[in-house]
């Protein structure tokens, strides 16, 4: 019997629009010793039928049907059924290049590493931009480096959140009973747990994953979910205790605070560009921006928050600290009037000019 090299787990929920593209990209992999575990999480559209049609053509496709219990549970079921030496994840609306898993697997075995992390293509505003590794590539980083650099990054930023541009040694996940929690931003928590456990990690200079930023109406319905409330809840989660992290508590709290304020920056922009009335979006943004805890943390970690940030973030932070209603009104109006998908990357690049203290 052929030994499976990579088990690819794909949670599926009402994904009929892009699912065929996803499956075709997987069964076209140059690494033949793969298995593709599709966990149908109670889809009510034609997703199950689409998977079955491909399954008839390729025996490597495994279909698991379950009631709708969420993406985390779907991935966890896939992990249980996986038999490969390594485990990878793909979202059902994304796709990969045909040599994706062969490249990652070959580098994993070459370096005998626990995790391989690749670059990827981010689909945003009807175009794809490449997201490169945040650390130098082709270096086998040990646990000491992970504790000093990777864990802090996972607490502060979203650079390493995703699980779909990585492959993980299955034995490590199984032996430590690592699972996805049924919580918001489950990828971050899964990776905190994994990276705190592994011996080494390798970043490679290769991009084969195409991530589609699919909103499914979220631009119009963004206010139906209290994203700010969720961000505040995450701020008070003790990841250090939960995952036995070694980072000092002072640094831990600072990094979480920076992440929280960065979320405020992101939500302000999303709310400002949402397709709702100006007065409604302004009310929602004011509640968030002038929140006492946001104000307190912005003042306490002002310098750390502004590191590697741009003009937009500096303006928002100034508005928060000064509680400037007029400044907020003008900023939201400016974002609303100037933002357009065709010029979005130009705007982002202009925003990346950093302020220098004089």
């Amino acid at each position: 019997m052929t030994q499976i090299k990579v088990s690819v787990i794909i949670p599926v929920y009402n994904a009929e629009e892009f699912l065929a593209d996803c499956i075709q990209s997987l069964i076209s992999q140059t690494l033949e010793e793969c298995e593709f575990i599709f966990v149908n999480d109670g889809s009510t559209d034609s997703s199950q039928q689409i998977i079955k049609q491909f399954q008839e053509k390729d025996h490597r496709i495994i279909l698991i049907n379950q009631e709708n219990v969420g993406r985390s549970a779907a991935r966890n079921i896939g992990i249980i059924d996986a038999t490969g030496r390594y485990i990878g994840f793909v979202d059902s609306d994304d796709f990969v290049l045909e040599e994706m898993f062969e490249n990652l697997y070959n580098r994993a075995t070459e370096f005998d590493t626990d995790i391989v992390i690749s670059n990827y293509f981010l689909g945003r505003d009807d175009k794809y931009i490449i997201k490169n590794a945040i650390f130098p590539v082709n270096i086998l980083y040990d646990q000491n480096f992970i504790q000093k650099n990777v864990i802090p990054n996972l607490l502060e930023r979203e650079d390493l959140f995703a699980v779909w541009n990585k492959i993980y040694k299955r034995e490590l996940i199984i032996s430590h009973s690592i699972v996805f929690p049924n919580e918001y931003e489950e990828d971050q928590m899964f990776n905190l747990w994994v990276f705190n456990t592994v011996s080494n990690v390798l970043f490679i200079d290769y991009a084969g994953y195409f991530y589609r930023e699919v909103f499914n109406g979220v631009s119009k319905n963004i206010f139906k979910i209290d994203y700010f409330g969720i961000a505040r809840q995450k701020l008070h989660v003790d990841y250090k205790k939960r995952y036995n992290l070694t980072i000092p508590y002072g640094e831990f709290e600072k990094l979480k605070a920076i992440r929280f304020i960065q979320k405020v920056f992101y939500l302000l922009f999303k709310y400002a560009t949402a397709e709702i009335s100006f007065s409604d979006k302004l009310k929602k943004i004011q509640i968030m921006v002038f929140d006492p805890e946001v104000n307190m943390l912005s003042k306490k970690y002002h310098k750390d928050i502004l590191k590697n940030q741009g003009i937009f973030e500096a303006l928002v932070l100034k508005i928060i600290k000064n509680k400037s209603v007029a400044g907020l009104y003008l900023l939201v109006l400016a974002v609303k009037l100037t933002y357009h998908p065709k010029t979005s990357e130009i705007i982002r690049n202009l925003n990346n000019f950093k302020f220098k203290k004089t």
Side-chain angles (χ1 to χ4, degrees), residues 17 65 76 138 168 184 239 265 270 313-314 320 339 351:
E17 183 177 2
N65 292 304
N76 291 336
N138 300 327
Y168 306 81
Y184 184 70
Y239 302 115
F265 295 154
K270 284 298 182 184
E313 291 80 10
I320 291 172
Y339 176 78
N351 181 60

Side-chain angles (χ1 to χ4, degrees), residues 238-294:
D238 192 349
Y239 302 115
K240 177 175 168 61
K241 182 178 180 181
R242 180 187 292 189
Y243 299 119
N244 196 28
L245 304 180
T246 60
I247 187 171
Y249 258 111
E251 183 71 8
F252 172 69
E253 293 297 335
K254 181 185 76 172
L255 294 175
K256 284 201 303 175
I258 295 171
R259 163 88 177 124
F260 177 57
I261 301 302
Q262 287 175 345
K263 197 70 175 181
V264 171
F265 295 154
Y266 170 80
L267 289 173
L268 192 159
F269 182 81
K270 284 298 182 184
Y271 292 155
T273 56
E275 297 176 15
I276 61 168
S277 71
F278 187 82
S279 59
D280 285 344
K281 69 175 67 178
L282 190 61
K283 288 177 184 177
K284 183 77 171 181
I285 291 171
Q286 283 180 325
I287 292 172
M288 177 178 65
V289 169
F290 299 136
D291 178 85
E293 190 167 27
V294 171

Side-chain angles (χ1 to χ4, degrees), residues 228-241:
F228 176 63
I230 294 171
R232 186 203 299 280
Q233 182 183 26
K234 300 286 289 183
L235 173 68
H236 297 289
V237 173
D238 192 349
Y239 302 115
K240 177 175 168 61
K241 182 178 180 181

